PDB file of all heavy atoms in Angstrom:
ATOM      1  N   MET A 155     132.678 156.075 117.688  1.00  0.00           N
ATOM      2  CA  MET A 155     131.633 155.003 117.767  1.00  0.00           C
ATOM      3  C   MET A 155     130.660 155.389 118.829  1.00  0.00           C
ATOM      4  O   MET A 155     131.108 155.759 119.949  1.00  0.00           O
ATOM      5  CB  MET A 155     132.287 153.638 118.064  1.00  0.00           C
ATOM      6  CG  MET A 155     133.350 153.181 117.122  1.00  0.00           C
ATOM      7  SD  MET A 155     132.847 153.118 115.434  1.00  0.00           S
ATOM      8  CE  MET A 155     131.582 151.844 115.478  1.00  0.00           C
ATOM      9  N   LYS A 156     129.418 155.309 118.535  1.00  0.00           N
ATOM     10  CA  LYS A 156     128.272 155.642 119.469  1.00  0.00           C
ATOM     11  C   LYS A 156     128.060 157.150 119.627  1.00  0.00           C
ATOM     12  O   LYS A 156     127.175 157.579 120.353  1.00  0.00           O
ATOM     13  CB  LYS A 156     128.460 154.992 120.830  1.00  0.00           C
ATOM     14  CG  LYS A 156     128.378 153.475 120.785  1.00  0.00           C
ATOM     15  CD  LYS A 156     127.843 152.922 122.083  1.00  0.00           C
ATOM     16  CE  LYS A 156     127.493 151.467 121.914  1.00  0.00           C
ATOM     17  NZ  LYS A 156     126.812 150.927 123.062  1.00  0.00           N
ATOM     18  N   GLY A 157     128.876 157.976 118.944  1.00  0.00           N
ATOM     19  CA  GLY A 157     128.645 159.406 119.005  1.00  0.00           C
ATOM     20  C   GLY A 157     127.345 159.707 118.193  1.00  0.00           C
ATOM     21  O   GLY A 157     127.009 158.986 117.271  1.00  0.00           O
ATOM     22  N   TYR A 158     126.618 160.797 118.556  1.00  0.00           N
ATOM     23  CA  TYR A 158     125.458 161.186 117.806  1.00  0.00           C
ATOM     24  C   TYR A 158     125.534 162.644 117.484  1.00  0.00           C
ATOM     25  O   TYR A 158     125.678 163.487 118.414  1.00  0.00           O
ATOM     26  CB  TYR A 158     124.181 160.880 118.593  1.00  0.00           C
ATOM     27  CG  TYR A 158     122.930 161.145 117.745  1.00  0.00           C
ATOM     28  CD1 TYR A 158     122.577 160.299 116.749  1.00  0.00           C
ATOM     29  CD2 TYR A 158     122.191 162.286 117.915  1.00  0.00           C
ATOM     30  CE1 TYR A 158     121.480 160.528 115.859  1.00  0.00           C
ATOM     31  CE2 TYR A 158     121.067 162.555 117.090  1.00  0.00           C
ATOM     32  CZ  TYR A 158     120.732 161.672 116.103  1.00  0.00           C
ATOM     33  OH  TYR A 158     119.644 161.944 115.288  1.00  0.00           O
ATOM     34  N   HIS A 159     125.440 162.985 116.189  1.00  0.00           N
ATOM     35  CA  HIS A 159     125.592 164.406 115.788  1.00  0.00           C
ATOM     36  C   HIS A 159     124.458 164.785 114.842  1.00  0.00           C
ATOM     37  O   HIS A 159     124.498 165.874 114.292  1.00  0.00           O
ATOM     38  CB  HIS A 159     126.940 164.608 115.195  1.00  0.00           C
ATOM     39  CG  HIS A 159     128.042 164.258 116.159  1.00  0.00           C
ATOM     40  ND1 HIS A 159     128.388 165.031 117.208  1.00  0.00           N
ATOM     41  CD2 HIS A 159     128.877 163.168 116.205  1.00  0.00           C
ATOM     42  CE1 HIS A 159     129.360 164.452 117.919  1.00  0.00           C
ATOM     43  NE2 HIS A 159     129.677 163.313 117.327  1.00  0.00           N
ATOM     44  N   GLY A 160     123.447 163.903 114.702  1.00  0.00           N
ATOM     45  CA  GLY A 160     122.307 164.260 113.854  1.00  0.00           C
ATOM     46  C   GLY A 160     122.229 163.407 112.612  1.00  0.00           C
ATOM     47  O   GLY A 160     123.002 162.425 112.489  1.00  0.00           O
ATOM     48  N   ILE A 161     121.373 163.761 111.740  1.00  0.00           N
ATOM     49  CA  ILE A 161     120.993 162.877 110.615  1.00  0.00           C
ATOM     50  C   ILE A 161     121.059 163.503 109.210  1.00  0.00           C
ATOM     51  O   ILE A 161     120.727 162.794 108.272  1.00  0.00           O
ATOM     52  CB  ILE A 161     119.637 162.238 110.825  1.00  0.00           C
ATOM     53  CG1 ILE A 161     118.567 163.272 111.320  1.00  0.00           C
ATOM     54  CG2 ILE A 161     119.665 161.144 111.885  1.00  0.00           C
ATOM     55  CD1 ILE A 161     118.324 164.382 110.401  1.00  0.00           C
ATOM     56  N   THR A 162     121.393 164.782 109.098  1.00  0.00           N
ATOM     57  CA  THR A 162     121.636 165.247 107.744  1.00  0.00           C
ATOM     58  C   THR A 162     122.873 164.546 107.248  1.00  0.00           C
ATOM     59  O   THR A 162     123.580 163.901 107.994  1.00  0.00           O
ATOM     60  CB  THR A 162     121.866 166.788 107.752  1.00  0.00           C
ATOM     61  OG1 THR A 162     122.636 167.134 108.877  1.00  0.00           O
ATOM     62  CG2 THR A 162     120.531 167.541 107.897  1.00  0.00           C
ATOM     63  N   VAL A 163     123.191 164.682 105.974  1.00  0.00           N
ATOM     64  CA  VAL A 163     124.178 163.748 105.392  1.00  0.00           C
ATOM     65  C   VAL A 163     125.524 163.809 106.027  1.00  0.00           C
ATOM     66  O   VAL A 163     126.086 162.745 106.385  1.00  0.00           O
ATOM     67  CB  VAL A 163     124.275 163.988 103.845  1.00  0.00           C
ATOM     68  CG1 VAL A 163     125.338 163.070 103.234  1.00  0.00           C
ATOM     69  CG2 VAL A 163     122.930 163.666 103.175  1.00  0.00           C
ATOM     70  N   ALA A 164     126.058 165.012 106.290  1.00  0.00           N
ATOM     71  CA  ALA A 164     127.361 165.060 106.934  1.00  0.00           C
ATOM     72  C   ALA A 164     127.224 164.651 108.417  1.00  0.00           C
ATOM     73  O   ALA A 164     128.041 163.926 108.973  1.00  0.00           O
ATOM     74  CB  ALA A 164     127.986 166.444 106.803  1.00  0.00           C
ATOM     75  N   ALA A 165     126.214 165.194 109.105  1.00  0.00           N
ATOM     76  CA  ALA A 165     126.078 164.894 110.547  1.00  0.00           C
ATOM     77  C   ALA A 165     125.864 163.405 110.767  1.00  0.00           C
ATOM     78  O   ALA A 165     126.477 162.833 111.692  1.00  0.00           O
ATOM     79  CB  ALA A 165     124.870 165.683 111.094  1.00  0.00           C
ATOM     80  N   ALA A 166     125.099 162.766 109.917  1.00  0.00           N
ATOM     81  CA  ALA A 166     124.867 161.309 110.021  1.00  0.00           C
ATOM     82  C   ALA A 166     126.196 160.577 109.776  1.00  0.00           C
ATOM     83  O   ALA A 166     126.438 159.515 110.333  1.00  0.00           O
ATOM     84  CB  ALA A 166     123.813 160.837 109.044  1.00  0.00           C
ATOM     85  N   SER A 167     127.041 161.139 108.955  1.00  0.00           N
ATOM     86  CA  SER A 167     128.346 160.513 108.654  1.00  0.00           C
ATOM     87  C   SER A 167     129.222 160.587 109.862  1.00  0.00           C
ATOM     88  O   SER A 167     130.090 159.724 110.099  1.00  0.00           O
ATOM     89  CB  SER A 167     128.988 161.193 107.480  1.00  0.00           C
ATOM     90  OG  SER A 167     128.222 160.946 106.287  1.00  0.00           O
ATOM     91  N   ILE A 168     129.139 161.664 110.673  1.00  0.00           N
ATOM     92  CA  ILE A 168     129.955 161.787 111.883  1.00  0.00           C
ATOM     93  C   ILE A 168     129.410 160.888 112.995  1.00  0.00           C
ATOM     94  O   ILE A 168     130.174 160.316 113.793  1.00  0.00           O
ATOM     95  CB  ILE A 168     130.024 163.229 112.386  1.00  0.00           C
ATOM     96  CG1 ILE A 168     130.281 164.238 111.270  1.00  0.00           C
ATOM     97  CG2 ILE A 168     131.120 163.401 113.448  1.00  0.00           C
ATOM     98  CD1 ILE A 168     130.114 165.680 111.725  1.00  0.00           C
ATOM     99  N   THR A 169     128.063 160.807 112.989  1.00  0.00           N
ATOM    100  CA  THR A 169     127.403 159.907 113.964  1.00  0.00           C
ATOM    101  C   THR A 169     128.016 158.513 113.858  1.00  0.00           C
ATOM    102  O   THR A 169     128.348 158.045 112.776  1.00  0.00           O
ATOM    103  CB  THR A 169     125.866 159.936 113.653  1.00  0.00           C
ATOM    104  OG1 THR A 169     125.342 161.179 114.068  1.00  0.00           O
ATOM    105  CG2 THR A 169     125.135 158.823 114.419  1.00  0.00           C
ATOM    106  N   GLY A 170     128.108 157.870 115.026  1.00  0.00           N
ATOM    107  CA  GLY A 170     128.689 156.495 115.019  1.00  0.00           C
ATOM    108  C   GLY A 170     127.733 155.421 115.492  1.00  0.00           C
ATOM    109  O   GLY A 170     128.111 154.516 116.226  1.00  0.00           O
ATOM    110  N   LEU A 171     126.460 155.577 115.062  1.00  0.00           N
ATOM    111  CA  LEU A 171     125.434 154.602 115.486  1.00  0.00           C
ATOM    112  C   LEU A 171     124.913 153.843 114.230  1.00  0.00           C
ATOM    113  O   LEU A 171     124.559 154.442 113.231  1.00  0.00           O
ATOM    114  CB  LEU A 171     124.296 155.306 116.157  1.00  0.00           C
ATOM    115  CG  LEU A 171     124.626 155.881 117.510  1.00  0.00           C
ATOM    116  CD1 LEU A 171     123.580 156.838 118.046  1.00  0.00           C
ATOM    117  CD2 LEU A 171     124.846 154.770 118.564  1.00  0.00           C
ATOM    118  N   VAL A 172     124.893 152.522 114.373  1.00  0.00           N
ATOM    119  CA  VAL A 172     124.589 151.639 113.242  1.00  0.00           C
ATOM    120  C   VAL A 172     123.220 152.003 112.571  1.00  0.00           C
ATOM    121  O   VAL A 172     123.149 152.078 111.348  1.00  0.00           O
ATOM    122  CB  VAL A 172     124.510 150.189 113.761  1.00  0.00           C
ATOM    123  CG1 VAL A 172     124.308 149.197 112.597  1.00  0.00           C
ATOM    124  CG2 VAL A 172     125.722 149.846 114.543  1.00  0.00           C
TER     125      VAL A 172
END
Side-chain angles (χ1 to χ4, degrees):
M155 304 304 296
K156 294 209 169 188
Y158 187 74
H159 303 285
I161 44 62
T162 42
V163 176
S167 296
I168 313 171
T169 289
L171 291 167
V172 187

